[in-house]
Amino acid sequence: MMGGYFAYLESDDAAREVFDAGMAAFSAPADALVAEAFDFPGTGTVVDVGGGRGGLLREILERHTGLHGVLFDRGATAGDHILDVPSVAGRWRVEAGDFFSAVPTGGDLYVLKQILHDWDDADGLRILHSCRSAMNPGSRLLVIDPLIPPGNDPHPGKALDLAMMTLFDSAERTIEELDALLSRAGLRRTRIVATPSPTSIVEAVAA
């Protein structure tokens, strides 16, 4: 069960619609950059966990015509998806659910874009456990969030870190903090892929 701000959104349809639209607009500039930066496989299934209206998933499917996708989010949010376009026709489906409980099985690549930074370590671990349980032996997980660099030099992620603490009682993470969380979920990092945006793509597999 989710609490705090997200529980409020579940109770107020108008507020949820404004939030979902805002998050889609906020994420849209990075969607194409992420889809371009990572070497997605030519075939397989991508499960976008907490994928909102499907902006990133659509970008991925449009660039890689051999891939299929699953958009997974709360029912009302996923119901407002933007995947029903000719360029990805027949290669996607939408599933509604709670990523704290379970996520769709059978994916080759699981994506968490700007999801973990909304939650503290305890809740983030629950989300990662759901993904780990759904993953096949060869599946990979992509965590797409800003990574806080060492030192005191300015970085966009540090400003966002303050916003996360204020709104959600959560935080952006250093790579060491993310590695520790992945390890507790039975996952290990294999690489980091930089993007032209403040977000990085952290790839992980079963430990």
Side-chain angles (χ1 to χ4, degrees):
M1 293 292 291
M2 63 181 65
Y5 187 70
F6 288 103
Y8 161 69
L9 293 177
E10 286 291 294
S11 69
D12 189 316
D13 288 342
R16 177 193 54 77
E17 290 174 3
V18 171
F19 178 83
D20 288 346
M23 289 298 97
F26 178 75
S27 297
D31 287 341
L33 300 177
V34 169
E36 186 68 27
F38 190 78
D39 55 334
F40 288 91
T43 60
T45 298
V46 178
V47 181
D48 193 355
V49 178
R53 294 178 171 177
L56 174 60
L57 186 58
R58 190 171 83 175
E59 291 282 354
I60 294 169
L61 296 182
E62 286 179 337
R63 283 169 170 75
H64 304 278
T65 57
L67 286 175
H68 289 71
V70 181
L71 177 64
F72 180 76
D73 211 314
R74 297 166 294 157
T77 297
D80 290 333
H81 68 81
I82 58 171
L83 295 172
D84 196 10
V85 294
S87 57
V88 298
R91 294 190 290 122
W92 58 270
R93 71 178 191 271
V94 173
E95 290 193 25
D98 176 6
F99 52 40
F100 289 121
S101 299
V103 304
T105 59
D108 299 290
L109 200 63
Y110 286 81
V111 178
L112 289 170
K113 178 176 179 283
Q114 295 178 341
I115 299 298
L116 287 187
H117 76 164
D118 288 340
W119 305 95
D120 63 19
D121 282 357
D123 285 332
L125 187 60
R126 293 168 62 200
I127 297 168
L128 289 173
H129 274 309
S130 292
C131 293
R132 175 65 184 87
S133 296
M135 291 168 65
N136 295 324
S139 298
R140 292 177 288 166
L141 171 70
L142 304 184
V143 176
I144 306 170
D145 272 330
L147 292 174
I148 301 297
N152 294 318
D153 291 338
H155 185 273
K158 295 178 180 179
L160 191 56
D161 187 37
L162 292 174
M164 293 298 102
M165 287 188 287
T166 301
L167 287 173
F168 304 121
D169 194 25
S170 61
E172 304 299 343
R173 294 178 173 87
T174 65
I175 188 56
E176 293 80 11
E177 290 169 336
L178 182 56
D179 280 346
L181 199 61
L182 290 170
S183 178
R184 291 171 61 191
L187 298 158
R188 62 176 177 85
R189 170 170 55 93
T190 51
R191 58 175 168 156
I192 302 173
V193 178
T195 78
S197 74
T199 60
S200 295
I201 305 169
V202 178
E203 180 189 80
V205 297

